[in-house]
Amino acid sequence: MRFVRLAPLAAAFFIAFAQPGIAKQVDSGVPGMIFDHDVPVTMTDGLDLRVNIYRPEKPGHYPVLMLMGPYGKDTGMADAPAYKASWAKLIAKYPDLCKKSSCRYIRFEAPDPERWVANGYIVIHADVRGAGASPGVLDPFSPRETEDYATLITWAAQQPWSSGKVGLLGTSFQAISQYQVAALQPEGLAAILPWEGAYDQYREIGYYGGILNVAWEFWWTHQVVPNQNGNATTPFVDSINGGKDTGAPLSPELLKQNRVDPVGALAKHPFDDEYYHQRTPDGSRITVPLLDVANWTDWSTEGYRVAASKQKWLRIQTGDHLTPFYSEEALALQKRFFDHFLKGANNGWEKEPRVAVQVRRPDGTSWRNAGAWPLPDTQWERYYLDAASGSMAPTLEAASPAEKSYQGSGDGLTFTTAPFTNETEFTGPIGVRLWVGSSTADMDIFAALRLIDPQGRDVTFTGNSDPNVPLDLGYLRVSHRAVDPEKSAEYRPFHPHLTSEPMRPGQLYPAEIEFTEPTSIVVPKGYRLALTIQGKDFGYGPNAPIVHAKDYDLPDTKNSGLFFAAHPNRDPSLYGGMDTVATGREHASYLLLPSIASRR
């Protein structure tokens, strides 16, 4: 068992010593809302974390919505360099946003307290240990941080203004931590709503298919370290009092001692070892009501799949990472969920479809409801690859054996279907099985599933963090090719990632590619699907013919949709060799697609 619940006596001891100090009550400027700023709450080791409490002015017992993050509970999005672009996109998408709220308390990836307090909720936003006004060592997703969260939840449930029920709401970091703390089963936790958060710390955060995700360095350097407690040079501004909200200044040496660089830590743990086991929760212990909001381009249906909650719902959407969270539709969904589980409202939530997916097509999107995931009417279809012709189709199962090679550092190979003769929907997890070889002892596989229009242009979609992404992306370091059959399905291979098995140059090996997310697309008549296999991050070149799908109104750019950025950890002599894909008969390689029978 990866998490241990606090014994009742120990929990009572911790709560007894977790009473707040003197709150700094600030004039909120919002009628009917009390704002307690920088309230100290004592953790189990005696350290005080700082929280902001937004609550109704009218006395009573109210349910609590809580989040805990590293981005600054007092950092306004419009003021911080790291968030200005996100704020501009948000206001462009919802120009009336600040007519429904003062927007003074909106924080990056966090709910707007004003919109919730007015509906009878208390919102508590905490700075994680080592960030903002909370002192200590900054160590994202660590067991210590998760224990802090559990302490805060139970403290909030026992305050005189609380109804005793706590829900968790937030995106990304503040969604990932929800899964972690839910497995601790803290007293008072009544429901969670992780909005686009990863679950598996190795496969979804640290390593994609066994390949180190160095993109976290940008996140760490630009969004987290500037807000470290004690950082006197932070560009972040305290939107409440002005100045800095990072506590007493610390020396550069002490600041470095007080933080754990996640990319450095990940690089020291290339396999799925105890480091990740301590940070990936035990799904059998997640039993609270759960609404998992995922994205087709990143994060994550896995929490929904593994959680033991009997009352759980999945919603998969398209679009960017931030703006959908603040839409009126999203707010209404969030309130219906929490009204039901935190207030006991008889609002029909129990009849809400357990699964809702936003089906994509080049000219827009539509919603589909279902009772399970994958969708019950899924028919799995194998599109066999032919290295000789560069084509793929269900009819190529008996194609003659063929091989084709490519430079690992080059543009790789692309396999393309014939134009579809009928409109066809594929919605669900996908799989790719290849027979591969290399001139070196290892190779990295980056797979991209693409949609090609009748003019030969790539149809791109709005991604989690980029405006132009393909239908799906998959990864595998072939030395990590071992599969645990008991934990795998054909559409979801489970690689244990426990050891490295070098390749023998010139020998062929079966490789099942990890796709961290499912996909959804209605392929119109005359369009084609393409599968690109290469040894580097997939991206669209400056002269690539692309057309943006009408899923969101965004300017046309040539952004590639990369998540990994650069790969300084990859040795060119090892990962830049001549790589080979074999197809046909005993080396049948194929793309597995989730065809929706009701659309056939």
Side-chain angles (χ1 to χ4, degrees):
M1 186 177 293
R2 292 173 179 169
F3 287 105
V4 179
R5 189 176 184 180
L6 298 175
L9 181 61
F13 174 84
F14 295 149
I15 297 304
F17 287 90
Q19 299 304 312
I22 300 174
K24 303 174 185 177
Q25 198 164 104
V26 176
D27 181 6
S28 69
V30 179
M33 186 173 85
I34 293 174
F35 176 32
D36 298 319
H37 181 237
D38 261 354
V39 176
V41 183
T42 306
M43 299 296 101
T44 60
D45 61 353
L47 187 80
D48 283 350
L49 298 192
R50 296 284 175 162
V51 308
N52 286 351
I53 305 172
Y54 308 86
R55 52 195 176 95
E57 187 176 42
K58 184 179 179 180
H61 302 285
Y62 299 97
V64 174
L65 286 183
M66 180 178 284
L67 67 152
M68 185 177 78
Y71 304 124
K73 60 180 176 51
D74 295 320
T75 302
M77 288 176 61
D79 302 321
Y83 310 132
K84 280 186 176 181
S86 296
W87 178 253
K89 182 187 294 185
L90 186 60
I91 294 301
K93 183 73 175 177
Y94 309 120
D96 293 335
L97 184 70
C98 296
K99 294 179 181 179
K100 300 174 181 180
S101 160
S102 72
C103 287
R104 185 184 180 192
Y105 301 102
I106 294 181
R107 306 293 179 249
F108 184 61
E109 299 180 342
D112 181 355
E114 291 182 49
R115 304 297 297 274
W116 288 92
V117 170
N119 282 271
Y121 284 87
I122 293 168
V123 176
I124 298 179
H125 190 167
D127 282 330
V128 298
R129 179 180 296 243
S134 294
V137 175
L138 180 58
D139 188 3
F141 307 124
S142 64
R144 174 71 259 180
E145 188 176 87
T146 305
E147 184 179 339
D148 289 344
Y149 206 175
T151 301
L152 284 171
I153 290 168
T154 305
W155 168 80
Q158 297 192 355
Q159 295 311 297
W161 29 253
S162 172
S163 70
K165 290 188 175 182
V166 179
L168 307 182
L169 177 63
T171 75
S172 196
F173 185 102
Q174 285 112 181
I176 297 167
S177 59
Q178 290 183 44
Y179 292 122
Q180 292 178 303
V181 75
L184 288 182
Q185 301 181 351
E187 177 187 342
L189 184 60
I192 63 173
L193 203 167
W195 192 285
E196 295 190 19
Y199 175 85
D200 189 314
Q201 290 274 327
Y202 182 87
R203 292 162 184 81
E204 296 185 283
I205 294 179
Y207 288 79
Y208 276 22
I211 304 170
L212 178 65
N213 182 4
V214 298
W216 285 106
E217 192 61 53
F218 180 90
W219 168 80
W220 177 248
T221 302
H222 293 273
Q223 295 184 328
V224 181
V225 170
N227 190 53
Q228 183 182 2
N229 179 262
N231 184 358
T233 63
T234 179
F236 292 2
V237 177
D238 180 350
S239 64
I240 306 302
N241 297 322
K244 313 294 184 184
D245 191 35
T246 49
L250 300 176
S251 68
E253 293 76 20
L254 193 52
L255 283 171
K256 189 172 182 179
Q257 292 177 28
N258 276 3
R259 62 178 182 250
V260 179
D261 177 1
V263 175
L266 296 174
K268 294 177 183 177
H269 298 272
F271 302 110
D272 189 14
D273 59 17
E274 189 61 24
Y275 175 86
Y276 303 101
H277 298 172
Q278 292 177 346
R279 290 160 173 78
T280 300
D282 180 348
S284 69
R285 293 186 54 79
I286 300 176
T287 58
V288 295
L290 158 71
L291 170 57
D292 175 5
V293 178
N295 191 305
W296 293 122
T297 58
D298 217 3
W299 294 353
S300 167
T301 60
E302 187 66 6
Y304 171 85
R305 188 184 71 82
V306 303
S309 304
K310 294 181 179 179
Q311 296 174 299
K312 63 179 182 178
W313 288 262
L314 174 66
R315 185 179 178 91
I316 312 177
Q317 62 187 15
T318 189
D320 69 88
H321 181 54
L322 188 69
T323 58
F325 180 76
Y326 294 96
S327 71
E328 290 299 311
E329 295 80 7
L331 184 62
L333 178 79
Q334 296 160 11
K335 285 183 176 178
R336 284 189 64 231
F337 176 76
F338 284 120
D339 281 354
H340 183 75
F341 288 108
L342 301 189
K343 291 184 174 182
N346 185 17
N347 58 10
W349 178 265
E350 286 290 345
K351 297 179 181 178
E352 187 77 13
R354 289 302 178 110
V355 174
V357 298
Q358 191 174 11
V359 178
R360 299 182 296 188
R361 52 187 306 149
D363 58 356
T365 66
S366 60
W367 284 94
R368 172 188 293 275
N369 297 330
W373 181 255
L375 301 180
D377 57 349
T378 302
Q379 293 184 356
W380 303 101
E381 292 188 352
R382 294 183 179 184
Y383 278 66
Y384 291 92
L385 312 184
D386 179 20
S389 64
S391 58
M392 62 178 178
T395 57
L396 291 173
E397 181 176 7
S400 299
E403 295 183 5
K404 195 162 187 179
S405 299
Y406 60 94
Q407 192 74 39
S409 57
D411 293 332
L413 307 177
T414 295
F415 300 87
T416 309
T417 67
F420 278 72
T421 56
N422 296 296
E423 183 176 88
T424 306
E425 180 184 341
F426 299 106
T427 295
I430 71 172
V432 171
R433 179 184 174 88
L434 302 175
W435 281 89
V436 298
S438 179
S439 63
T440 69
D442 206 353
M443 63 182 285
D444 285 343
I445 297 174
F446 295 78
L449 180 62
R450 303 154 55 195
L451 179 65
I452 310 297
D453 77 359
Q455 289 72 46
R457 301 173 298 183
D458 269 88
V459 181
T460 68
F461 297 83
T462 303
N464 180 294
S465 56
D466 293 289
N468 286 299
V469 296
L471 290 173
D472 213 342
L473 294 168
Y475 311 88
L476 183 68
R477 176 156 288 178
V478 179
S479 60
H480 287 231
R481 62 189 176 275
V483 172
D484 183 340
E486 294 186 359
K487 295 182 179 180
S488 299
E490 187 178 15
Y491 59 82
R492 191 188 65 249
F494 183 86
H495 298 279
H497 295 294
L498 297 178
T499 188
S500 177
E501 300 178 68
M503 305 170 70
R504 181 176 297 175
Q507 183 173 329
L508 295 175
Y509 299 88
E512 299 186 48
I513 315 306
E514 285 186 9
F515 284 80
T516 57
E517 293 307 325
T519 195
S520 177
I521 185 62
V522 174
V523 182
K525 180 180 177 180
Y527 284 63
R528 296 173 294 150
L529 290 177
L531 177 67
T532 295
I533 303 296
Q534 53 191 168
K536 63 179 183 179
D537 289 318
F538 174 79
Y540 299 106
N543 299 313
I546 65 172
V547 58
H548 198 284
K550 304 300 182 184
D551 52 353
Y552 273 84
D553 229 358
L554 288 174
D556 186 25
T557 71
K558 297 294 184 180
N559 288 39
S560 63
L562 305 186
F563 190 74
F564 280 84
H567 284 276
N569 63 304
R570 300 205 304 150
D571 180 355
S573 66
L574 184 59
Y575 298 105
M578 288 300 296
D579 298 331
T580 300
V581 173
T583 63
R585 296 180 187 172
E586 68 269 21
H587 293 137
S589 296
Y590 58 84
L591 164 68
L592 184 73
L593 289 174
S595 177
I596 302 304
S598 60
R599 293 299 299 264
R600 293 170 64 92

